[in-house]
């Protein structure tokens, strides 16, 4: 195959051959999702091109965040490359905890990175992590069940439509839930989802003076809507479901709709993994009636190098290889264009072959619709859509998400959770000197 031969030649351009140099063994921490597992499987190509070996530490999302945060803040030195995102990168870059990626090769073409991804992974104009893939969130739905219900999914539906469609598609006798959504505790799991849902109801985390806003009616409206819909039309035990759990349910045909990361589109349409691969449609994330903000986020899983590593040069070689145009082509040659890492490069969305992928245009539209500088209806003092870009947020939001998950599990009321969220958030912000 001519493409494959060209790829090996191209990979040499983005990786410096180690002729006469010492080969290294790199330890890489990453998340246990399909794209990262695929990267692990293809890393022998990197070893062939460079001589460097790779050892993988693959972790569940919440565990990964905890491990890499602990290691980098304590200068533990366990990892040569870390998989982090748009929340950590600018903060850690400002702290001097990451190696700047300001000297990547001309062949890498850093200007090809989508501006939303490049800006979100930079601090003061310096790139500190390279996006392996970028994402927003969107609706994935069963076209057959939607048709059976006598409904047509709008391109940009409201939450009210989603609730009615979930009711119409729920079939308990056949183990079909009308809708599957994240409820799992963790600021980047269920916490991320309920934050963008709240945004789409007009809520915000803080007012302009850093006062918590959980005592405001928009938050209560969002939680009441979410809990009522999920209790009636969602899967049992949704309080413990995150990305991977809902992906599995959808692939098994047990979800009428799933609103989650755009990157999941390739997994639900892959006939090797999904029983409903040929019955999936896509739409923009919803908003509540009369609210202009949609429930979509902006994120990139990216590769970064912790400062102090003794293997900086080799680590940069790996990052160039794994986030390059040539890597995209390598995946395409082996598994088809629908399975390449999405959302990171402009050239991908200009590629005629990729434009044929059914979810490509909707993914890009969703990414472009997310505005981290204006994430909410009312003004806020922070940047970030599903997170607040301050160092204290991860700890605060993890606790808040635990309160909300307790509601989903029936362990406390919405009012109790919001009262606790308000108190713990304001207490933490006062201790940190914001108020």
């Amino acid at each position: 195959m001519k493409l494959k031969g060209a790829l090996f030649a191209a990979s040499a351009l983005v990786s410096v051959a180690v002729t006469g140099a010492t080969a290294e063994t790199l330890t890489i921490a990453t998340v246990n999702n399909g794209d990262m597992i695929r990267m692990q499987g293809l890393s022998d190509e990197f070893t062939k091109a460079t001589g460097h070996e790779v050892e993988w530490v693959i972790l569940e999302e919440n565990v990964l965040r905890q491990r890499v945060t602990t290691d980098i803040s304590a200068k533990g030195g366990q990892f040569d490359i870390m998989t982090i995102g748009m929340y950590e990168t600018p903060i850690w870059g400002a702290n001097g905890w990451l190696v700047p990626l300001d000297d990547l090769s001309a062949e890498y073409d850093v200007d090809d990175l989508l501006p939303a991804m490049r800006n979100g992974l930079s601090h003061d104009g310096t790139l500190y992590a390279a996006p392996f893939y970028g994402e927003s969130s969107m609706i994935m739905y069963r076209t057959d069940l939607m048709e059976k219900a006598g409904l047509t999914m709008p391109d940009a539906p409201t939450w009210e439509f989603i609730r009615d469609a979930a009711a119409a598609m729920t079939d308990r006798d056949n183990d079909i839930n009308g809708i599957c959504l994240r409820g799992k505790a963790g600021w980047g799991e269920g916490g991320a989802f309920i934050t963008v849902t709240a945004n789409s109801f007009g809520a915000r985390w803080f007012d302009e003076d850093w006062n918590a806003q959980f005592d405001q009616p928009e938050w209560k409206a969002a939680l009441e809507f979410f809990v009522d819909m999920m209790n009636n039309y969602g899967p049992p035990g949704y309080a413990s479901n995150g990305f991977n759990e809902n992906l599995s349910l959808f692939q098994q045909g047990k979800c009428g709709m799933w609103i989650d990361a755009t990157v999941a589109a390739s997994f639900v349409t892959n006939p090797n993994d999904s029983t409903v691969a040929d019955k999936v449609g896509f739409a923009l994330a919803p908003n509540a009636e009369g609210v202009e903000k949609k429930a979509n986020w902006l994120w990139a899983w990216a590769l970064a190098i912790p400062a102090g590593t003794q293997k900086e040069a080799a680590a940069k070689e790996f990052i160039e290889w794994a986030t390059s145009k040539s890597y995209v082509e390598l995946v395409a040659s082996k598994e088809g264009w629908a399975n390449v890492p999405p959302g990171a490069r402009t050239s991908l969305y200009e590629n005629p072959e990729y434009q044929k992928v059914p979810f490509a245009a909707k993914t890009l539209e969703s990414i472009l619709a997310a505005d981290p500088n204006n994430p909410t209806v009312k003004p806020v003092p922070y940047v970030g859509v599903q997170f607040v870009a301050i160092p204290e947020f991860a700890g605060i939001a993890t606790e808040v998400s635990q309160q909300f998950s307790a509601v989903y599990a029936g362990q406390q009321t919405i009012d109790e959770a919001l009262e606790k969220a308000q108190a713990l958030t304001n207490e933490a912000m006062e201790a940190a000197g914001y108020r």
Side-chain angles (χ1 to χ4, degrees):
M1 186 176 178
K2 290 183 179 180
L3 175 59
K4 193 175 294 186
L7 289 170
F8 294 130
S11 67
L13 293 175
V14 296
S15 298
V16 180
V18 290
T19 305
T22 302
E24 303 280 9
T25 298
L26 298 169
T27 302
I28 303 176
T30 196
V31 65
N32 66 337
N33 66 30
D35 283 293
M36 298 306 189
I37 292 170
R38 182 179 292 123
M39 174 173 62
Q40 179 190 17
L42 292 173
S43 60
D44 284 349
E45 303 293 344
F46 169 74
T47 298
K48 290 177 186 176
T50 66
H52 303 310
E53 301 285 343
V54 180
E55 293 183 352
W56 294 90
V57 179
I58 298 181
L59 303 166
E60 186 270 332
E61 182 173 325
N62 286 339
V63 178
L64 172 73
R65 296 186 197 280
Q66 183 181 40
R67 284 277 301 274
V68 299
T69 300
T70 299
D71 186 68
I72 201 163
S73 60
K75 297 182 173 60
Q78 293 183 53
F79 309 113
D80 302 300
I81 297 173
M82 294 175 165
T83 304
I84 60 176
M86 287 185 171
Y87 168 66
E88 300 94 344
T89 301
I91 296 171
W92 293 2
N95 287 346
W97 292 355
L98 300 175
V99 174
L101 301 181
D102 53 1
D103 58 351
L104 299 178
S105 68
E107 292 85 1
Y108 180 78
D109 192 6
V110 71
D111 291 335
D112 184 50
L113 299 178
L114 283 169
M117 299 302 153
R118 185 174 177 181
N119 294 340
L121 297 169
S122 297
H123 171 70
D124 281 350
T126 297
L127 189 71
Y128 281 94
F132 182 71
Y133 68 75
E135 66 180 34
S136 183
S137 50
M138 66 181 177
I139 303 166
M140 293 158 277
Y141 67 94
R142 290 272 300 276
T143 54
D144 58 330
L145 296 182
M146 189 70 69
E147 182 179 354
K148 183 180 178 182
L151 298 171
T152 300
M153 175 68 81
D155 183 60
T158 63
W159 274 117
E160 290 74 15
F161 175 88
I162 296 299
R163 177 191 57 205
D164 294 344
M169 288 192 285
T170 297
D171 183 353
R172 298 301 187 196
D173 291 338
N174 291 299
D175 198 18
I176 296 175
N177 308 287
I179 189 161
C180 295
L181 300 173
R182 299 188 192 190
K184 188 175 187 176
W187 73 262
E189 276 278 11
F193 190 84
I194 198 62
T195 292
V196 295
T197 300
N199 291 348
S200 71
F201 276 78
R204 53 184 176 168
W205 266 79
F206 300 101
D207 68 12
E208 292 176 280
D209 296 317
W210 293 105
N211 297 302
Q213 297 293 287
F214 296 107
D215 60 353
Q216 297 302 300
E218 294 88 353
W219 263 105
K220 185 171 183 178
L223 274 172
E224 286 181 340
F225 183 93
F226 178 85
V227 171
D228 178 73
M229 182 171 65
M230 292 301 292
N231 284 347
N232 286 291
Y233 315 122
Y238 73 89
S240 59
N241 288 351
F243 175 85
N244 284 329
E245 291 81 5
N246 285 323
L247 170 61
S248 178
L249 287 170
F250 195 96
Q251 288 176 324
Q252 294 172 51
K254 296 182 179 181
C255 303
M257 293 176 290
W258 180 30
I259 306 171
D260 212 299
T262 52
V263 72
S266 67
F267 306 137
V268 298
T269 57
N270 187 331
N272 295 323
D273 302 316
S274 176
T275 63
V276 295
D278 60 344
K279 303 179 181 68
V280 185
F282 305 95
L284 295 175
N287 57 285
E289 290 277 7
V291 178
E292 64 184 49
K293 293 295 179 182
K294 298 185 182 301
N296 66 312
W297 60 62
L298 186 68
W299 186 252
W301 276 120
L303 302 179
I305 304 170
T309 178
Q310 302 303 305
K311 303 172 184 178
E312 179 179 321
K316 284 184 179 179
E317 288 182 52
F318 183 86
I319 287 177
E320 286 210 21
W321 173 80
T323 66
S324 68
K325 298 176 187 178
S326 296
Y327 179 85
V328 170
E329 293 175 350
L330 175 63
V331 175
S333 73
K334 291 181 176 292
E335 303 198 30
W337 282 102
N339 294 304
V340 305
R345 287 186 171 271
T346 300
S347 57
L348 179 62
Y349 292 91
E350 295 173 344
N351 186 314
E353 291 301 313
Y354 193 67
Q355 289 172 359
K356 298 175 186 176
V357 173
F359 50 81
K362 196 62 63 182
T363 293
L364 183 60
E365 186 179 359
S366 298
I367 288 171
L368 297 178
D371 184 357
N373 293 310
N374 297 283
T376 56
V377 174
K378 297 177 181 177
V380 292
Y382 56 85
V383 172
V385 183
Q386 77 278 25
F387 59 84
V388 176
I390 58 173
E392 296 78 12
F393 177 78
I396 296 171
T398 295
E399 290 190 55
V400 169
S401 74
Q402 290 166 351
Q403 297 301 326
F404 292 161
S405 287
V407 174
Y408 312 152
Q411 297 168 355
Q412 65 179 345
T413 67
I414 289 172
D415 286 341
E416 288 170 337
L418 288 171
E419 183 178 352
K420 291 175 182 177
Q422 179 77 6
L424 72 88
T425 301
N426 276 337
E427 181 180 344
M429 295 300 283
E430 287 175 7
Y434 287 84
R435 302 174 65 244

